[in-house]
């Protein structure tokens, strides 16, 4: 008989913990269910059962599980196996994966509760002090409060020492109360107080309201809504629908409840209103699309992963739709991953028209309660579903995945940076699909070099679609030498005459314009024109960005804001000005050049709410705004029919970033944003502003030459042993003391070299070497592709444990980033 359970806790711990199962649950406790367990001295956590056994641990007393929260597991096969793979591969704890995977509403929190002792009597020789009496008086209003509530009620700060004295006198008790985050959504419904078959009661009801016309109207409205006169089961009537149909006030409803005719009751409802969309047919494929579709189906016979390399506007989404329909008809589920929430806005309406209520959406802009509801819907039902979501969707409890589509697979948004697990959703999705026996389709006009390499080597299948839908030509890219323009004094602010002229023609022809600048804010830097002083963040090693709308300087790493100094603190002169330009400044300047033209801006500052994405994209799609200004958000697969001109305002800053992937990313962003132009009928135009129009990368973008960029970058990476020829692991070390950090990071790198030799590089300063007052050092580990990540993880943990012999390492924050982007 299984009397012990190994559980995973939502904590960064590298092992499972064993608890005793109470006798009552030993037959009914399933793996994957949630239990409440004590951990530490006074904390309780929601743990998930991962294994049942009868082997008692030795050397310590085993604690008992306190509560069973589920009648059925909250995880499906193979989710636990998937969590363990992520923990092994990305060098983190399974508890980190648990924290990231489960919605917060399914993880109960432990809050310290303070309870009044009703039997407490003050001793004559031990009188309470004033603060103690004040706390007791505040607590007596509710008799039970959290520490936070008690501080607020009493108006006192730092009450823990006073609480400790009250505890010693047993005037209060402290306990831990488990608080559930998830709250089901409920709505009030109305029903009759008598049986539908009781005709005498119904006749009596009409007698009682015939002198009150509004009550009579409400009774008739209820009978109509509930289909009372039709034989069969009555339809439930919500309070809201009854008031809307009858057109009378809630006071009338209250009067009928008092008369005993109606009875209100609460009912749990879905937060997702069913959308009444007439499901249409999926558009037929063109000849080229049909060929690509057949090639994908054939590729899936021999490859579990296939890469669809299709140029922008070649109709990849239509091919996806036919593949999705095929899998849903087989009775299996489909996961459709997109890199940004912004993409789900346009895709939702297109997919809803094709697949109706089979479509479910999942992303971080949903409230926690909504995410719990989606989780439970997938857990409780097994019907074919299409889930459209961002990277966190890989953790949902799928019952039978048949296909995973990773759209825009090259996007860095698929990589989780902080906190752990620092996974890449594309790579993790491939593993998840294999665990379900599903196929994975990667799609992009500009694939990641690693993905294209795998396809060329035969590890993945490869299907290419090299022409746009309806044979629309790829846009013409016109380079503009801004350095030459500035010499001749022809630039109008940040815009070349070529760009402004093309924009004017587009607007005169009632078409639209997109302007791309991959930097938000008004200006990336503020500088003293006299002495070149630049304000920097107190907590991070970066200059501050000026946001004119709020008239303040902001650090984009820690979020701290600063006032703009009126005079330079270095030289005392009033010569502070802005340098460079961000999307906010572009918006202001364009409004001056085209004052009557409606425009919108899409960046992190304008899309913080759930509806803001939808509003901006919807307004631009409908032509309400003629110009869209944005950061890389606008490069990610958005489909606008009437865009004829795209302006890339500063190509140089993308190319010159200190990273081995800089040229690959610059090409991807410029090619993707160029693809927004001329998508339907007429050939589009892209004006590319650069200081170096003769650069090889610029020429490759002008020729839409992905293969050329790929070959050049691949040769460089082979020469210097970078991915796809090796696997990178970045090891970050952080500390508030820079001198100590340098010493410890050098020692740690030395310990790694004793094992890994020349595979270890560093420690070095990353481009931003201090964030939130923590100094940072980076050690790079270049591993062969054949190396076992499980073995590497074991060695790295052993090296770190050896380093802990020096107590100073205990104050060091250390973490790993596998396959960094």
């Amino acid at each position: 008989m299984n009397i012990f359970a190994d559980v995973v806790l939502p904590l960064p711990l590298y092992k499972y913990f064993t608890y005793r199962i109470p006798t009552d649950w030993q037959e009914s406790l399933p793996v994957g269910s949630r239990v409440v367990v004590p951990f530490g001295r006074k904390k309780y956590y929601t743990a998930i059962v991962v294994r049942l056994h009868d082997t008692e641990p030795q050397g310590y007393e085993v604690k008992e599980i306190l509560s069973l929260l589920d009648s059925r597991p909250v995880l499906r096969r193979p989710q636990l196996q998937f969590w363990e793979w992520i923990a092994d591969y990305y060098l983190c704890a399974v508890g980190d994966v648990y924290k990231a995977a489960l919605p917060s509403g399914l993880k109960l929190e432990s809050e310290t509760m303070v309870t009044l002792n009703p039997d407490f009597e003050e001793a004559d020789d031990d009188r309470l002090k004033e603060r103690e009496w004040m706390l007791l008086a505040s607590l007596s209003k509710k008799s039970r409060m959290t520490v936070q509530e008690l501080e607020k009620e009493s108006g006192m700060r730092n009450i823990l020492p006073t609480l400790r004295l009250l505890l010693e006198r047993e005037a209060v008790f402290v306990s831990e109360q488990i608080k559930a985050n998830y709250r089901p959504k409920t709505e009030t419904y109305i029903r009759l107080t008598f049986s539908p078959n009781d005709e005498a009661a119904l006749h009596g009801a009409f007698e009682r309201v015939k002198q009150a016309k509004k009550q009579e109207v409400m009774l008739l409205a209820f009978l109509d809504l509930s289909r009372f006169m039709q034989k069969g089961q009555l339809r439930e009537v919500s309070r809201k629908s009854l008031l809307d149909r009858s057109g009378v006030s809630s006071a009338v409803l209250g009067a009928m409840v008092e008369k005993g005719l109606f009875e209100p009751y609460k009912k749990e409802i879905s937060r997702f209103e069913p959308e009444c969309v007439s499901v249409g047919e999926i558009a037929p494929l063109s000849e080229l699309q049909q060929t690509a579709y057949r090639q994908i189906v054939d590729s899936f016979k021999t490859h579990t992963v296939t890469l669809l390399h299709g140029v922008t506007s070649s109709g990849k989404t239509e091919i996806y739709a036919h593949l999705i329909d095929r899998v849903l008809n087989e009775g299996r589920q489909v996961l459709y991953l997109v890199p940004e929430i912004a993409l789900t806005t346009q895709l939702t309406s297109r997919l809803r028209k094709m697949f109706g209520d089979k479509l479910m959406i999942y992303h971080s802009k949903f409230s926690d309660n909504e995410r719990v509801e989606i989780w439970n819907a997938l857990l409780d039902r097994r019907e074919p579903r299409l889930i459209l979501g961002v990277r966190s969707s890989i953790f949902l409890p799928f019952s039978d995945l048949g296909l995973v589509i990773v759209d825009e697979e090259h996007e860095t948004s698929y990589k989780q940076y902080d906190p752990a697990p620092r996974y890449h959703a594309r790579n993790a999705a491939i593993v998840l699909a294999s665990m379900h026996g599903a196929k994975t389709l990667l799609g992009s006009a500009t694939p990641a070099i690693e993905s294209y390499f795998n396809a060329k080597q035969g590890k993945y299948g490869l299907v290419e679609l090299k022409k746009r839908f309806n044979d629309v030509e790829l846009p013409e890219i016109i380079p503009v030498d801004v350095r030459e323009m500035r010499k001749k004094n022809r630039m109008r602010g940040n815009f070349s005459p070529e760009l402004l002229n093309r924009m004017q023609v587009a607007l005169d022809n009632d078409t639209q314009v997109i302007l791309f600048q991959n930097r938000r804010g008004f200006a990336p830097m503020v500088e003293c024109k006299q002495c070149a002083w630049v304000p920097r963040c107190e907590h991070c090693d970066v200059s501050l960005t000026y946001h004119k709308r709020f008239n303040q300087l902001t650090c984009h790493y820690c979020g701290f804001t600063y006032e703009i100094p009126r005079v330079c603190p270095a030289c005392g002169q009033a010569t502070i000005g802005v340098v460079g330009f961000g999307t906010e400044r572009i918006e202001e300047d364009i409004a001056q050049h085209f004052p009557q033209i409606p425009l919108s801006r899409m960046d992190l500052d304008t899309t913080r709410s759930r509806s803001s994405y939808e509003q901006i994209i919807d307004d631009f799609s409908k032509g309400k705004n003629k110009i869209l200004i944005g950061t890389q958000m606008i490069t990610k697969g958005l489909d606008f029919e009437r865009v004829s001109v795209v302006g890339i305002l500063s190509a140089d800053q993308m190319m010159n970033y200190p990273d081995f992937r800089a040229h690959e990313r610059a090409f991807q962003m410029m090619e993707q944003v160029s693809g927004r132009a001329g998508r339907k009928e007429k050939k589009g135009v892209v004006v590319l502003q650069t200081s170096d129009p003769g650069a090889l990368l610029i020429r490759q973008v002008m020729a839409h030459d992905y293969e050329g960029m790929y070959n050049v970058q691949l040769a460089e990476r082979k020469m210097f042993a970078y991915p796809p020829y090796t696997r990178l692991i970045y090891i970050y070390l952080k500390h508030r003391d820079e001198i100590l950090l340098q010493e410890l990071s050098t020692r740690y790198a030395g310990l790694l070299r004793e094992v890994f030799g020349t595979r270890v590089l560093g420690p070095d300063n990353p481009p931003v070497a201090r964030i939130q007052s923590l100094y940072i050092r980076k050690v790079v580990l270049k591993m062969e592709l054949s190396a076992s990540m499980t073995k590497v993880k074991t060695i790295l943990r052993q090296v770190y444990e050896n380093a802990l012999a020096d107590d100073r390492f205990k104050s060091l924050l250390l973490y790993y980033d596998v396959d960094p982007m």
Side-chain angles (χ1 to χ4, degrees), residues 477 663 667 671 695-713:
I477 299 181
H663 278 209
F667 180 92
E671 182 68 14
L696 176 60
L697 184 66
I698 298 297
R699 297 202 306 270
Q700 290 165 346
V701 172
M702 290 171 59
H704 305 283
D705 185 11
Y706 173 82
E707 290 271 358
M709 182 278 296
Y710 168 79
N711 289 327
V712 169
Q713 293 302 306

Side-chain angles (χ1 to χ4, degrees), residues 19 25 59 118 170 218 232 247 317 326 353 498 533 539 558 582-583 640 696-697 779 787 804:
Y19 288 83
W25 307 334
E170 296 187 352
M218 179 167 276
T317 306
R326 176 190 178 107
K353 289 173 184 175
E498 179 74 34
W533 173 83
H539 312 287
C558 69
T583 50
F640 301 116
L696 176 60
L697 184 66
V779 177
L804 289 176

Side-chain angles (χ1 to χ4, degrees), residues 356-385:
D357 59 5
K358 289 182 180 178
L359 175 68
M360 295 180 74
I361 319 294
Y362 189 83
H363 57 63
S364 60
K365 291 291 182 182
F366 282 158
S367 71
D368 189 66
N369 284 335
E370 288 171 325
R371 291 200 293 273
V372 170
E373 198 160 308
I374 294 169
W375 185 284
N376 287 334
L378 283 173
L379 202 61
D380 294 335
R381 297 189 289 274
R382 300 180 66 92
E383 70 262 28
R385 284 281 196 177

Side-chain angles (χ1 to χ4, degrees), residues 449 453 709-719 724-725:
I449 285 177
F453 177 81
M709 182 278 296
Y710 168 79
N711 289 327
V712 169
Q713 293 302 306
L714 200 65
E716 287 186 6
R717 295 190 187 185
K718 188 172 185 179
M719 187 184 305
Y725 297 102

Side-chain angles (χ1 to χ4, degrees), residues 375-649:
W375 185 284
N376 287 334
L378 283 173
L379 202 61
D380 294 335
R381 297 189 289 274
R382 300 180 66 92
E383 70 262 28
R385 284 281 196 177
L386 166 61
I387 292 86
L388 174 66
V390 292
R391 63 173 180 254
S392 58
S393 305
I394 63 172
F395 295 117
L396 287 169
F398 300 102
S399 58
D400 183 19
L401 268 180
L403 175 67
V404 176
I405 296 170
V406 186
D407 196 17
E408 308 295 343
E409 64 86 30
H410 65 278
E411 277 291 343
T412 57
S413 302
Y414 284 124
K415 174 71 172 178
Q416 164 75 13
Y417 292 99
D418 277 309
R422 295 171 178 83
Y423 65 96
H424 196 298
R426 177 195 63 213
N427 302 340
I430 291 171
V431 174
L432 176 68
S434 70
M435 290 180 175
H436 280 268
K439 304 296 184 183
T440 305
L441 180 65
L442 311 178
S444 177
T446 55
I449 285 177
E450 290 93 328
S451 298
Y452 201 62
F453 177 81
N454 285 334
K456 285 289 190 179
Q457 295 294 308
K459 182 178 178 181
Y460 298 167
L462 177 62
V463 176
E464 301 201 87
L465 198 56
K466 296 190 174 182
K467 288 188 178 181
R468 283 184 153 190
F469 186 69
N470 283 342
D471 288 330
V472 175
E473 291 185 73
L474 288 167
E476 177 189 4
I477 299 181
I478 302 170
V480 175
D481 188 340
V482 293
R483 184 166 49 186
E484 188 66 25
M485 289 288 104
R486 292 193 193 282
K487 281 183 183 178
K488 295 178 179 179
N489 203 26
R490 294 187 60 196
M491 290 291 289
R492 295 177 61 183
N494 297 303
F495 311 104
S496 62
E498 179 74 34
L499 177 57
L500 291 174
N501 291 339
R502 296 278 182 174
M503 291 177 66
Q504 187 63 63
V505 171
L507 296 170
D508 290 343
N509 292 332
D510 196 30
T511 57
Q512 293 173 302
V513 177
I514 286 178
L515 297 178
F516 171 55
Q517 168 64 2
N518 200 29
R519 192 182 288 272
R520 62 189 172 104
F522 187 82
M525 197 168 70
V526 172
E527 182 182 71
C528 174
K529 297 175 182 177
Q530 184 73 24
C531 69
W533 173 83
V534 175
R536 305 185 72 82
C537 179
E538 295 176 7
H539 312 287
C540 308
D541 187 21
V542 291
S543 58
L544 300 171
T545 301
Y546 174 49
H547 289 257
K548 188 172 184 179
R549 178 184 174 188
F550 303 106
N551 194 33
Q552 64 186 18
L553 298 169
T554 302
C555 173
H556 284 173
Y557 281 84
C558 69
F560 207 80
T561 58
Y562 301 82
E563 289 186 8
I564 301 173
R566 295 180 180 177
V567 297
C568 174
C571 67
Q573 301 297 310
T575 51
I576 291 178
V578 297
V579 179
F581 57 96
T583 50
E584 190 180 351
R585 183 169 187 173
I586 297 302
E587 181 183 30
E588 182 177 289
D589 292 349
I590 287 295
Q592 293 175 357
H593 285 292
F594 303 97
Q596 304 304 317
I597 303 298
L599 55 85
S600 56
R601 172 165 59 95
M602 189 170 176
D603 55 28
L604 188 61
D605 297 318
T606 62
T607 55
R608 295 190 184 277
S609 72
R610 174 171 159 184
S611 60
S612 52
Y613 283 96
E614 300 171 7
Q615 192 65 53
I616 292 169
I617 292 171
D618 190 55
D619 287 349
F620 195 67
S621 296
K622 292 177 178 176
K624 293 181 181 178
N625 293 319
K626 299 296 184 184
I627 302 172
L628 176 62
I629 301 155
T631 57
Q632 60 180 331
M633 286 182 180
I634 62 175
T635 71
K636 301 182 181 183
L638 295 170
D639 187 12
F640 301 116
E641 294 186 8
R642 300 183 57 77
V643 174
S644 63
V645 173
V646 166
I648 299 174
L649 301 180

Side-chain angles (χ1 to χ4, degrees), residues 16 68 126 146 212 214 368 419 457 489 506 528 661 712 780 807:
Y16 296 138
L68 173 61
D126 190 13
T146 66
K214 290 184 178 180
D368 189 66
Q457 295 294 308
N489 203 26
C528 174
R661 285 195 173 94
V712 169
V780 177
D807 285 341

Side-chain angles (χ1 to χ4, degrees), residues 73-128:
V74 295
L75 303 183
R76 289 186 184 275
R77 186 207 65 80
Q79 280 179 283
L80 283 172
Q81 180 188 351
F82 183 52
W83 288 10
E84 288 171 340
W85 177 85
I86 287 181
D88 268 347
Y89 186 84
Y90 291 103
L91 305 178
C92 65
V94 182
D96 288 322
V97 185
Y98 169 23
K99 284 176 66 177
L102 232 62
S104 296
L106 294 176
K107 300 191 290 282
L108 302 180
E109 294 180 348
S110 178
E111 285 192 334
T112 301
M113 299 295 298
V114 183
T115 307
L116 189 67
N117 179 4
D119 299 324
F120 171 71
E121 291 182 4
E122 184 182 15
D124 293 336
D125 57 347
D126 190 13
R127 295 287 181 181
L128 295 177

Side-chain angles (χ1 to χ4, degrees), residues 46 105 107-111 146 177-183:
T46 301
K107 300 191 290 282
L108 302 180
E109 294 180 348
S110 178
E111 285 192 334
T146 66
Q177 177 181 336
I178 299 298
K179 185 191 81 173
N181 279 336
Y182 175 62
R183 293 287 183 272

